[in-house]
């Protein structure tokens, strides 16, 4: 868990972790320089649970992605499975047990990750609906253009962790998108669960909010036009070079085609990008992808 000025909702999230039906867990928190009562809240839970069950670390203070990556790449954290946790959500009581059961059935011998849909709630725990339901198959062709599930729902196995460790503390846009790219790119198993395993809180201080609603769609369009999406892709492609030897043959070829297509002129660019088979999970997302390809924003 990465925290920063989390006092308002942190105790509620920690209580939901304590209420898990699967009880063989420990939590490592990297606090990124909170100036509110977050550290006091964490200290109180640490006294109640013990220092081995809740470990507190000082974060790098370079943003949420760097904070999570500092945990991902911390060799002192050792387990069979790893879960990302946000500071302001609520986990459903069966989140861990359900995800672990699915991973054990589907991810044996492979890098594997689980993610799921979410139930949206407001600042007062009132339900607002569900996050979009994705129906397309998880794959590296999808991972190159978007993250499949929120990091707050993700759990991954030791094989996936070893790849993340080998890549190291690369600069990435988000830890969850990076995890999805690494697992799928290296021939692993990515599972998207339709069951909403997390109550995903929407509030004014969200660093990353839900993708629903016309305002969020307009914000994404503006960012795409300003070239932010292309910069994100630049960052991800550079980071993937750190695990290039682990990409399977098909995905290494796909990545090479994708990189070539981004640098050539319009008609060949559209042809080669189509040949790669890259896609997003929704029709609107794919429409935006076509727009980005035409105007060299991908």
């Amino acid at each position: 868990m990465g925290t920063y000025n989390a006092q308002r909702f942190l105790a509620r999230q920690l209580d939901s972790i304590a209420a898990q039906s699967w009880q063989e867990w420990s939590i490592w928190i990297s606090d990124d320089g909170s100036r509110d009562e977050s550290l006091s809240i964490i200290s109180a839970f640490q006294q109640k649970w013990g220092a081995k069950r809740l470990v507190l670390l000082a974060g790098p203070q370079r943003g949420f992605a760097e904070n999570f990556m500092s945990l991902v790449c911390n060799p002192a954290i050792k387990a069979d499975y790893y879960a990302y946790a946000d500071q302001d959500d609520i986990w459903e009581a069966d989140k861990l047990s359900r995800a672990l059961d699915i991973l054990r059935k589907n991810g044996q011998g492979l890098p594997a990750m689980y993610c799921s849909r979410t139930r949206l709630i407001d600042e007062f725990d009132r339900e607002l609906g569900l996050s979009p339901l994705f129906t397309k198959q998880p794959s590296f062709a999808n991972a190159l253009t978007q993250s499949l599930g929120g990091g707050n729902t993700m759990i991954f196995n030791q094989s996936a962790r070893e790849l993340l460790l080998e890549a190291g503390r690369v600069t990435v846009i988000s830890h969850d998108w990076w995890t999805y790219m690494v697992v799928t790119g290296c021939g692993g198993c990515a599972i998207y669960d339709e069951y909403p395993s997390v109550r995903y809180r929407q509030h004014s201080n969200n660093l990353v909010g839900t993708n629903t609603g016309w305002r969020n769609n307009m914000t994404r369009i503006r960012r795409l036009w300003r070239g932010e999406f292309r910069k994100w892709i630049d960052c991800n492609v550079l980071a993937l070079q750190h695990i290039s030897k682990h990409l399977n043959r098909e995905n290494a070829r796909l990545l090479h085609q994708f990189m070539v297509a981004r640098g050539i002129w319009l008609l060949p660019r559209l042809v080669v990008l189509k040949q790669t088979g890259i896609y997003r999970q929704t029709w609107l997302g794919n429409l935006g992808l076509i727009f980005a390809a035409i105007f060299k924003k991908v």
Side-chain angles (χ1 to χ4, degrees):
M1 177 186 287
T3 58
Y4 178 71
N5 290 345
Q7 67 175 21
R8 190 173 179 192
F9 304 114
L10 179 57
R12 186 75 177 87
Q13 167 68 312
L14 292 174
D15 282 337
S16 76
I17 294 172
Q20 289 297 295
S21 57
W22 180 271
Q23 280 291 304
E24 295 179 43
W25 54 262
S26 61
I27 180 166
W28 293 64
I29 298 178
S30 177
D31 186 80
D32 227 20
S34 293
R35 298 180 179 88
D36 63 0
E37 295 302 312
S38 297
L39 293 177
S40 296
I41 294 169
I42 294 168
S43 178
F45 274 88
Q46 193 175 50
Q47 289 178 27
K48 180 167 60 174
W49 293 348
K52 289 186 178 180
R53 189 148 227 207
L54 194 164
V55 181
L56 175 62
L57 304 172
Q61 300 189 39
R62 291 195 293 269
F64 79 95
E66 274 283 329
N67 198 17
F68 274 102
M69 290 300 290
S70 72
L71 290 166
V72 168
C73 296
N74 185 337
I77 304 175
K78 298 177 181 179
D80 295 321
Y81 295 91
Y82 306 84
Y84 295 130
D86 287 355
Q87 65 187 28
D88 46 10
D89 298 327
I90 299 172
W91 283 9
E92 300 294 1
D94 61 347
K95 171 182 164 54
L96 291 179
S97 57
R98 180 183 177 89
L100 293 177
D101 185 55
I102 290 172
L103 282 169
R104 285 170 177 155
K105 289 178 180 176
N106 294 277
Q108 291 295 331
L110 292 171
M113 57 153 274
Y114 164 99
C115 62
S116 80
R117 203 176 187 189
T118 59
R119 191 177 306 281
L120 309 178
I121 60 172
D122 68 9
E123 299 172 85
F124 306 101
D125 294 357
R126 296 178 301 206
E127 292 188 21
L128 302 173
L130 298 173
S131 63
L133 176 62
F134 296 146
T135 58
K136 292 183 171 60
Q137 187 71 16
S139 72
F140 189 56
N142 179 222
L144 283 173
T145 66
Q146 72 175 132
S147 182
L148 178 64
N152 55 349
T153 71
M154 280 188 178
I155 298 177
F156 51 94
N157 65 6
Q158 176 61 15
S159 294
R161 170 71 182 312
E162 288 171 1
L163 290 169
L164 294 167
L165 271 174
E166 183 168 339
R169 288 177 65 171
V170 292
T171 300
V172 293
I173 300 305
S174 64
H175 56 290
D176 47 4
W177 193 358
W178 174 237
T179 303
Y180 182 35
M181 281 190 292
V182 169
V183 169
T184 55
C186 297
C189 176
I191 303 121
Y192 174 79
D193 189 2
E194 296 182 6
Y195 169 75
S197 67
V198 169
R199 294 179 180 255
Y200 183 13
R201 195 180 302 279
Q202 306 297 297
H203 57 87
S204 58
N205 294 323
N206 276 114
L207 287 176
V208 180
T210 180
N211 291 327
T212 58
W214 68 270
R215 289 184 179 176
N216 288 310
N217 289 333
M218 289 304 298
T219 297
R220 290 200 300 278
I221 290 170
R222 285 196 298 270
R223 298 175 93 172
L224 186 152
W225 185 250
R226 290 198 301 258
E228 291 185 38
F229 183 60
R230 185 173 176 84
K231 291 178 182 176
W232 295 349
I233 299 294
D234 286 340
C235 183
N236 289 339
V237 166
L238 183 62
L240 283 168
Q241 306 312 307
H242 291 261
I243 56 159
S244 58
K245 68 181 181 181
H246 294 292
L247 297 176
N248 66 27
R249 182 178 299 178
E250 177 62 24
N251 288 332
R253 182 195 61 79
L254 189 160
L255 178 61
H256 176 71
Q257 272 189 306
F258 182 64
M259 292 167 64
V260 169
R262 298 178 72 230
I264 57 182
W265 66 283
L266 179 60
L267 289 179
R269 179 166 70 249
L270 296 179
V271 170
V272 177
L273 283 174
K274 182 173 178 57
Q275 289 174 345
T276 65
I278 60 169
Y279 63 93
R280 290 173 66 88
Q281 286 289 332
T282 65
W283 72 267
L284 187 61
N286 283 308
L287 186 64
L289 189 59
I290 294 169
F291 174 89
I294 291 171
F295 291 98
K296 208 173 183 180
K297 302 292 184 180
V298 68

